């Protein structure tokens, strides 16, 4: 049996993996949905874009469901505090997630331009909501959020929806938005008819540039404008999961963990190198361009997770209540069992997912869409 | 901290509405997908084109329903964290695991394959497509298995113990959680109910085509599949419902007594109240029509074991509240000094009853200060809503027996090739369409409303499980759900009607249905 501290670090890494899996796999679905009206100038072009994501978006979305379920199982406090604390923001995301499955399925079921257009707007809107709120939520992790525990470990939250909209958090929202729009455009460059793909390449270039500028800006803000959190006193890595057993000091730097573990720098570095890679590759080799944008998405999330380590959710109201890797996990036995289950099942998931992508491979062309839909919606 | 009762009421209302709504779609998915698998198997074995068309036509309806199930399922997973944060903290160590495994083992499978099911007809071989459909069906049933393992733990929390340092329940044995006897009975009972629903859906709509004289061959074949599948499922749902009743009477005696409106312990074997008007105030059942012995047989599978009545169970609860207060006191002492040996011993002796002390939190901040009146009130609060359970159970069981009769008759008609010989039969089959929904929603009410006042039976009262959100926030989300879910329901019904009316004959627009292209593959 692995020791408790090691399992906690593994589950921290797995949580990151699931979030990155979600951002890469479902991120391009959101990006394409967000660009639906820009890249697709008429119904046929939009059908090309939608059919490029339709066979696989549903499986991709399970990365998010699984990230939620795994957080519930491995980090129950993180799940409880974040979902209840950011109540209305989460409700907004939930609404987006409710409308997507029905949107994809219902859009083509009635042949009427107004009906199709309604669902196009709904899919676009739900894409924007998720991309923005995800970034804003991540930004708030660096700012700390206003919650505290009482002796029963019942959490109370002292703030509302609008408190989440701090300028830094909004900047993070824009980083997320530009990053995933670029990623979505890279997918369209790979999957859509050449007419649309050419448009997508231009958008991917601009969005990647915007992303890189905003990402560096956010990094500078974190370095010079935001106080970091650190565990004060002895760090107990294998104690009971009770946040109130520790003390926390505020005022250091979020880059402290980068100084402690210099290999953490590889993440932001890779993010920027990948952004350059997207610029260089997307026009000529669309598969390589998409791989570059996937790396960009993954390493951006990793760089944020590294900076926060060992914190998962810092509390600005009562820093002692902050959730960290060492005191917000499930019990030793649960982490152990869930690791075994994940080690067995996740590779199987990846195998059949790859098979599905292989079956559904190839560009969706305008000609195909015209033939299949015959001018319908 | 005092719990805001408005937040509790609104959160419960929201959970019940969203769960009942989700449960309109999931059982149909569960049942319909196996019918698709059967039809496609016949297609692959016989090579007859009509069977492929059947898969594709019923597949369209399946797809609309599947999308609704997925959309409303996300809500369920979000909602534990959003509205039941203390619940999530208190039992996440146990309850989260089956949910996460459901995602990895089942939902991933169905969600990934559903796209190939619809869009892969021309991209993979017949055999491969058939395998996709079978795995899709397997995924949906596995999904139900893990969700019901989680749910069964709420009804019968085995394999876990309270940890005073982390203030939550933690797993002591995963095999007990996963092989919970309640989970096994619930799983078979619930998926069988879904299979009945799927069979009824196909049976009723096919009957409508036969009444109109449309798609006759198509409808007769569909009805034959539905009749055989439905008969097996209806028998299973009632037999396993009985097993489920037996495990309830072992583990949730109060729920059983309330379903029966059994106010006092009767000499064994207890009689079954077929009909009556339960009177909660007087604690009696008026106009009771009783069948001797039956309840004792159902509840204990014996003739000499007694089943406790409500009054006796309330007395027992009072005793457990007393023990629970001692456990609560020990827990607070351990919070000050985690090595206090005496407190450890007290908690170990009474931690099974700690939840009963938490029932008092509704009336006093500190359960140790509770007056005898508070304790009486808390003990009385362990009685669920007797009238609702009494009637919900009886209507559900009545539907179950009706399904056996209808499917047995349909099976006979299909076997003797006279499905369309009598119009009254077709009308009966058509108008029976809503009944599985009635039975299934009532089944949810018996199981979950009957669990009240507990979120986790005997461990965590529902009222304590809520988040520290404001009533206004919950009201906002509740209003949003009512609005969006109503709109979606309207669109769903509209699309279902549209495609049913069009029928397989009207949907010739599908190139793969066109006979000229369909034979080759």
């Amino acid at each position: 049996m692995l020791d408790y501290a090691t399992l906690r670090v593994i589950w921290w890494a797995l949580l990151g993996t699931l979030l990155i899996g979600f951002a890469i796999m479902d991120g391009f679905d959101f990006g394409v949905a967000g660009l639906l009206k820009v890249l697709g100038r008429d119904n046929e072009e939009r059908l090309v874009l939608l059919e490029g994501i339709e066979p696989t978006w549903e499986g991709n979305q399970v990365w998010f469901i699984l990230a939620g379920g795994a957080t519930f199982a491995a980090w129950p406090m993180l799940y409880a505090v974040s979902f209840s604390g950011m109540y209305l923001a989460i409700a907004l995301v939930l609404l987006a997630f409710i409308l997507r499955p029905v949107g994809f399925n219902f859009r083509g079921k009635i042949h009427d331009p107004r009906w199709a257009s309604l669902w196009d707007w709904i899919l676009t809107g739900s894409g924007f909501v998720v991309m923005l709120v995800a970034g804003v939520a991540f930004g708030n992790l660096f700012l700390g959020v206003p919650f505290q525990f009482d002796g029963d470990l019942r959490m109370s939250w002292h703030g509302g929806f609008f408190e989440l909209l701090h300028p830094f958090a909004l900047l993070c929202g824009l980083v997320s938005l530009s990053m995933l729009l670029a990623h979505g455009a890279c997918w369209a460059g790979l999957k859509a008819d050449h007419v649309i793909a050419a448009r997508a390449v231009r958008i991917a270039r601009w969005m990647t540039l915007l992303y890189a500028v905003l990402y560096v800006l956010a990094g500078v803000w974190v370095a010079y404008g935001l106080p970091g959190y650190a565990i004060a006193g002895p760090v107990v890595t294998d104690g009971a999961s009770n946040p109130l057993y520790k003390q926390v000091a505020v005022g250091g730097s979020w880059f402290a963990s980068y100084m402690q573990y210099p290999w953490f720098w590889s993440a932001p570095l890779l993010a920027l190198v990948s952004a350059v890679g997207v610029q260089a590759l997307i026009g000529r080799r669309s598969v390589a361009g998409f791989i570059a944008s996937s790396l960009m998405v993954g390493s951006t999330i990793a760089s944020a997770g590294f900076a926060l380590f060992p914190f998962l959710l810092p509390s600005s109201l009562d820093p002692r209540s902050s959730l960290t890797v060492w005191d917000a996990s499930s019990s030793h036995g649960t982490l152990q069992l869930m690791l075994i289950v994940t080690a067995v099942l996740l590779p199987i998931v990846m195998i059949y997912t790859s098979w599905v992508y292989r079956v559904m491979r190839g560009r969706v062309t305008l000609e195909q869409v015209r033939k299949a839909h015959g001018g319908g919606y | 901290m005092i719990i805001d009762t408005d937040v509790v009421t609104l959160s419960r209302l929201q959970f019940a509405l969203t769960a009942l709504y989700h449960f309109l779609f999931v059982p149909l998915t569960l049942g319909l997908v196996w019918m698709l698998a059967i039809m496609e198997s016949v297609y692959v074995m016989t090579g007859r084109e009509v069977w492929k068309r059947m898969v594709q036509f019923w597949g369209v309806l399946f797809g609309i329903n599947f999308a609704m199930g997925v959309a409303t399922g996300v809500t369920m997973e979000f909602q534990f964290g959003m509205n039941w944060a203390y619940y999530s903290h208190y039992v996440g160590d146990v309850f989260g695991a089956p949910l996460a495994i459901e995602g990895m083992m089942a939902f991933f499978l169905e969600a990934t394959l559903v796209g190939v099911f619809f869009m892969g007809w021309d991209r993979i071989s017949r055999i491969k497509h058939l395998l996709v459909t079978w795995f899709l069906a397997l995924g949906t049933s596995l999904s139900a298995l893990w969700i019901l393992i989680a749910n069964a733990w709420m009804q019968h929390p085995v394999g876990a113990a309270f940890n005073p340092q982390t203030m939550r329940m933690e797993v002591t044995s995963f095999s007990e959680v996963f092989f919970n006897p309640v989970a096994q009975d619930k799983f078979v009972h619930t998926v069988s109910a879904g299979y009945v629903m799927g069979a009824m859906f196909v049976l009723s709509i096919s009957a409508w085509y036969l009444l109109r004289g449309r798609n006759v061959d198509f409808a007769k074949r569909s009805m034959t599949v539905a009749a055989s599948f439905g008969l097996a499922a209806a028998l299973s749902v009632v037999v396993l419902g009985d097993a489920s009743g037996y495990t309830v009477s072992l583990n949730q005696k109060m729920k059983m007594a309330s379903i029966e409106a059994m106010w006092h312990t009767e000499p064994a074997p207890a009689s079954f109240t077929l009909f009556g008007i339960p009177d909660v105030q007087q604690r009696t059942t008026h106009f009771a029509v009783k069948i001797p012995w039956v309840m004792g047989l159902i509840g204990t599978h014996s003739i000499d074991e007694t089943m406790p009545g409500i009054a006796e169970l309330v007395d027992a609860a009072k005793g457990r509240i007393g023990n629970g207060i001692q456990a609560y006191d020990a827990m607070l002492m351990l919070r000050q000094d985690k090595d206090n040996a005496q407190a450890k011993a007290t908690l170990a002796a009474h931690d099974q009853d700690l939840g009963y002390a938490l029932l008092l939190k509704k009336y006093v901040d500190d359960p140790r200060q509770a007056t005898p009146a508070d304790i009486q009130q808390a003990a009385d609060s362990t009685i669920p809503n007797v009238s609702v359970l009494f009637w919900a159970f009886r209507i559900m069981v009545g539907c179950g027996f009706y399904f056996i009769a209808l499917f047995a008759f349909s099976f006979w008609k299909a076997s003797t090739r006279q499905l369309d010989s009598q119009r009254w039969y077709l009308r009966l089959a058509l108008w029976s369409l809503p009944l599985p929904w009635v039975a299934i929603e009532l089944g949810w009410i018996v199981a979950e409303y009957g669990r009240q006042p507990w979120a986790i039976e005997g461990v965590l009262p529902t009222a304590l499980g809520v988040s520290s959100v404001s009533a206004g926030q919950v009201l906002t989300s509740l209003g949003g759900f009512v609005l969006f879910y109503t709109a979606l329901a309207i669109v769903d019904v509209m699309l279902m009607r549209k495609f049913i009316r069009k029928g397989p004959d009207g949907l010739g627009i599908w190139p793969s249905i066109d006979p000229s292209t369909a034979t080759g593959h």
Side-chain angles (χ1 to χ4, degrees), chain A residues 11 14 18 66 337-347, chain B residues 104:
Chain A
W11 269 101
L14 274 176
L18 292 174
L66 184 57
L337 178 103
M338 288 309 296
L339 177 60
I340 296 169
V341 170
T342 310
V344 172
L345 291 177
L346 212 53
Chain B
M104 269 187 275

Side-chain angles (χ1 to χ4, degrees), chain A residues 72-332:
Chain A
F72 198 174
W75 306 101
M77 285 178 162
L78 176 62
Y79 172 71
V81 174
S82 56
F83 275 57
S84 66
M86 306 190 199
Y87 191 83
L88 291 178
I90 298 282
L92 206 59
V93 172
L94 174 57
L95 182 65
F97 274 104
I98 292 172
L99 288 170
R100 276 160 52 82
V102 289
F104 280 109
N105 190 289
F106 290 180
R107 185 189 185 276
K109 291 276 189 288
I110 292 178
H111 294 188
D112 179 327
R114 283 164 304 173
W115 177 259
S117 173
L118 170 72
W119 288 108
D120 286 344
W121 280 115
I122 288 175
L123 289 171
T124 305
S126 63
F128 268 89
V129 164
V130 175
M131 290 187 281
L132 268 171
V133 175
V136 169
F138 248 95
N140 273 287
L141 298 186
F142 286 90
L143 296 164
V145 284
F147 72 95
Q148 63 182 11
F149 289 109
D150 68 7
D152 292 338
L153 292 186
R154 178 177 289 280
M155 184 277 290
S156 55
W157 184 283
H158 302 264
F161 176 72
F162 293 101
E163 274 93 337
L164 297 175
L165 306 179
H166 183 279
F168 174 74
L170 292 176
L171 173 63
C172 292
L174 293 178
V175 171
S176 164
L177 184 66
S178 53
M179 173 177 86
L180 294 176
L181 286 177
H183 188 47
C186 286
W187 177 257
L190 172 75
K191 193 77 183 169
D193 191 286
H194 288 289
V195 182
I196 305 165
R199 235 174 269 153
V201 165
R202 280 197 298 280
I203 290 188
R205 288 212 171 106
W206 279 110
M207 282 298 152
T208 316
L209 184 65
L210 181 63
Y211 151 80
V213 171
L214 295 175
Y215 178 65
V216 171
L217 201 62
V220 172
W221 195 329
V222 170
Y224 296 101
L226 296 179
Y229 286 57
I231 296 175
V235 178
V236 183
T237 57
D238 58 355
S241 281
N242 186 329
L244 300 180
Y245 286 176
K246 68 168 179 311
Q247 295 298 327
V248 167
V250 185
S253 164
W254 279 124
F255 278 90
S257 59
Y258 278 85
M259 301 306 159
Q260 200 180 346
Y261 311 102
W263 65 271
F264 279 8
W265 286 104
S266 59
L269 213 61
L270 182 61
L272 291 173
V273 170
S274 308
V276 176
V278 172
Q279 299 284 353
L281 295 166
I282 184 69
R284 292 171 297 133
R285 306 181 70 104
S286 52
V287 176
F290 180 71
I291 291 172
S293 74
S294 301
L295 284 174
M296 177 176 90
V297 170
S299 44
T300 302
I301 295 174
S303 70
F306 287 163
L308 290 164
F309 186 85
F311 284 81
L312 297 168
L313 190 62
S315 166
S316 54
L317 183 71
D318 173 32
R320 198 170 64 116
S321 290
S322 299
L323 304 181
T324 73
V325 172
W326 314 123
D327 57 23
S329 77
S330 284
S331 64
H332 197 167

